[in-house]
Amino acid sequence: MTEDTRVPYRIRFARLWEARFISHLDLMRAFMRLLRRTGLPIYFSEGFNPKPKISYRTMPLSSGHTSECERVFFQLMEELPETEVERAFAAAMPPGLVLDSIRRVRSAKKDENPPKAMQYYIYFTDAADGIGERLLRAARDENVQMEVLDMETAAVAILLEKGDSSEFIKNTFPFAVSAATPVGNDYVRPDRIVEKVVDPEKIIIHYHRRKEIIRQSQKR
Amino acid sequence: MTGKELRKKIELEVLPRVRKPGRYAGGELNAVVKDTAEVRLALCFPEVYEIGMSSLGFTLLYHYVNELGWAACERCFAPWPDMEQELRGRALPLYSLETFTPLSEFDIIGFSLSYEMTFTNVLTMLDLGGLGLRAARRPDSAPVVIAGGGCSVNPEPLADFIDAFVIGEGEEPLMEIMEAARRVKAAGGGRPEILEKIAAVEGVYIPSLYETGTGENGRCTVSGTPPAPYPVMRRYVRNMSNSYYPSKLILPSINAVHDRMSIEIFRGCAQGCRYCQAGMIYRPRRERDADFLIGNVKEMYRHSGWNEVSLLSLNAPDYSQLAHLLDGLSEFATPRRVSISMPSSRIDTFSEEVGEKLRLVRATGLTLAPEAGTQRLRNVINKRITDEEIIGAVASSFAAGWKKVKLYFMIGLPTETEEDVLGIAALIKRLTAVAGKKKSGRKRGKPDFTLSVSNFVPKPHTPFQWEPFEPVEKLFGKQRLLRSVIDRRHVKLDFHDPHRSAMEAVFARGDRRIGRALEEAYNLGCRFDGWSECLDADKWRQAFSRAGVDPADYAHTPYKPGSRLPWSHIDCGITTKYLLIERAKAMRGDTTESCIGNRCTGCGLDCDTND
């Protein structure tokens, strides 16, 4: 092996309730420090100010939003088993970031399964005034697939904090929709659609990134 | 409402509506959350999260108190006005970040005071925390409000709002206060009993136990009769070498001003710069053990993943174990791509060898503080460096590849003339010439000079404590003069606002009456006065006039040497005689050597570190 062996890995993790109030930049910083805490042989960039080489592969998450599907690519200087890398990460994760999985990938540059769309669950503290109808109409105008969620399903998805019950979620947010927005040039931030219809000063809205939809063909 | 309920309410209703909600969310890595404790302390920093979390003293005390199994220490920072408004609008209290407990439910509230311009924020926090402003009106059921930090060497402007001040370094007296509170609580007592007990702790000043009188210029002075200790002696840690230092530090979840491993290599300073309050009130100089620090950094890194370690002190090159420390640190840091930085250096003690070591990991800039432009004035303030040394340091740092130089100067210093001000420009001209010169075979980038020019503010317990603050118009004139003569193609000029400095002077040299103006200003809506976008000069003018206080008198009237000063009841261990001798030498332009490796300069401390 030469000195600049670089082995690419991909981590998937969730950003939960207690870590939702940090900006994307702060999350990146937190991730750099997380990498260092793992004690793994991280590959650093060259130059005056060496940094771990990472690439954040999901769309930046807005402050306040939660997510189950954040993906970051990073590189190690040696080939290590996925389980060993996972163990090191699990011990170093900060509160609110929860490890899902780590995979050895073929390339740090090319995404083998680029997501086609992003699915959000969007929660509302008030369902009055036929919000649902108006939301669905606004989504159709923007080519975003939206449907009303049944609250049993919706509540489970953001049972994120220890001690919260699905009753609490259902009491807080009596209404929720799911929205799938295409990634790429057609990407529409879900809050842009929602805020056309709902005044965030009056109703509390919570955005949760539920999953990345990898291949649209899956729907067949 | 329980802490959990308050937390839900804040998270759902308040945080989505404020700027930088991460400031108020808590939940950081290594934060200490205790469900039960015999004594609960809310450590309060009257500035935003990003600044408070960068304060060494604040984080040190936080972790130190939390080492006690029976005590809990939680954090609270000043809410930015948008957050304050949201809390007020919903009638919600200011709370601690660990358990979302309202301040009024703690046993002790402890403010860390490091800057006079944060005083209105102290009042915001007391008020929003449900404690009320004036100490005398708080009920027996209220927490005990204490305050410490650099500003407490003149506690008078806040004396009406704080129950007890801790004068000097907090580690030891705070532990004694916690112990006292524990005993009192176990016996069923509350605020009055705790105060009675801690009155006996050395270094504690309880304003309500003292009498006030009128001194020179109508200033309010303070005197005490037994059992109230008089004067109040400053506390400091006698043996620093292995003194407590946390290794599992809280990691700020949003970008703090100093987002790195900071290690305190020594406390106090032997240089004796005559304008410098820190150089006087943290004496004697006490070093930490280098091997202890190296071990500490390794632990800190493991718990944090920070990519920079910064050596904190008042003048790092004075550290006797510096070479050993840098060797030990770089052995650990270099392979991990961790950089080492060392702010605030005096050039006369800065060696090239040290510069090389610092450069190993990452090229950073050189920061120098000549403070004055001419040798004469540098002698007056006892900054014993020559033009040649400054030029040499800049030349060698450019030769070593550093391209940024930051220089600190002051204007408005005692005895300053126009020649001294022009001397700054002349020195800069020589520096830019040296830095721009090409050495054979090596290409240089364009030199990058930043010149920060602040206004001299006379501070208590320094040889210049009797001096007036220079009139604001004169300072503006000197700024204009500098702007007109400095070639700003190569130099970025950065001036401090003379109006804000004047306010600093009022609070630094003020007496108890200033507190009334502070309260008026708070009621008029003054907040975050240290931030240029927040300081509202009109409101302050109104506040001073309502309180019947003339700020110009407080800022610009000299105190007569020998007279009783508003802070004469606080004894920092430095004798007035020494301060007067230093003052006389300053006026003659005589310097005093550093007390490292030289004769004891006789400041009055019974210090055995430099025998």
Side-chain angles (χ1 to χ4, degrees), chain A residues 12 58-59 61 65-70 115-123 144-150 153-154 157-158 176-183 187-190 206-214 216 218-219:
Chain A
R12 294 176 61 99
T58 24
M59 307 285 294
L61 199 61
H65 297 195
T66 49
S67 168
E68 290 172 70
C69 52
E70 299 303 287
K116 294 282 186 297
M118 200 80 84
Q119 188 184 41
Y120 283 88
Y121 279 9
I122 308 169
Y123 299 79
V144 166
Q145 293 176 25
M146 187 181 281
E147 52 194 66
V148 175
L149 285 168
D150 95 80
T153 318
I158 54 166
V177 296
S178 89
T181 105
V183 171
Y187 181 72
V188 187
R189 284 174 47 161
H206 178 67
Y207 298 88
H208 176 71
R209 194 178 272 172
R210 178 74 172 125
K211 65 179 179 199
E212 289 177 313
I213 298 165
I214 304 295
Q216 279 170 330
Q218 272 177 336
K219 267 192 291 175

Side-chain angles (χ1 to χ4, degrees), chain A residues 17 20-22 26 29 33 36-37 44 48-50 63 93-95 161 164 168 172-173 200-202 204, chain B residues 8 11-13 15 17 21-22 27 29 251-255 259 301 303-305 307 336-338 362:
Chain A
W17 207 246
R20 74 193 158 124
F21 289 119
I22 56 177
D26 286 326
R29 241 187 305 268
R33 295 188 300 227
R36 286 169 169 277
R37 282 199 304 276
F44 283 89
F48 275 133
N49 191 0
S63 166
M93 298 297 282
E161 198 178 26
D164 273 352
F168 171 79
T172 310
F173 301 109
E201 288 296 311
K202 293 196 180 117
I204 295 162
Chain B
K8 286 281 177 246
E11 285 182 345
L12 284 169
E13 296 177 22
L15 297 192
R17 297 190 162 101
L29 186 68
L251 226 65
S253 50
I254 66 170
N255 197 15
D259 200 13
Y301 180 77
H303 291 299
S304 69
N307 64 353
R336 289 171 182 80
R337 313 292 206 281
V338 170
R362 189 165 86 179

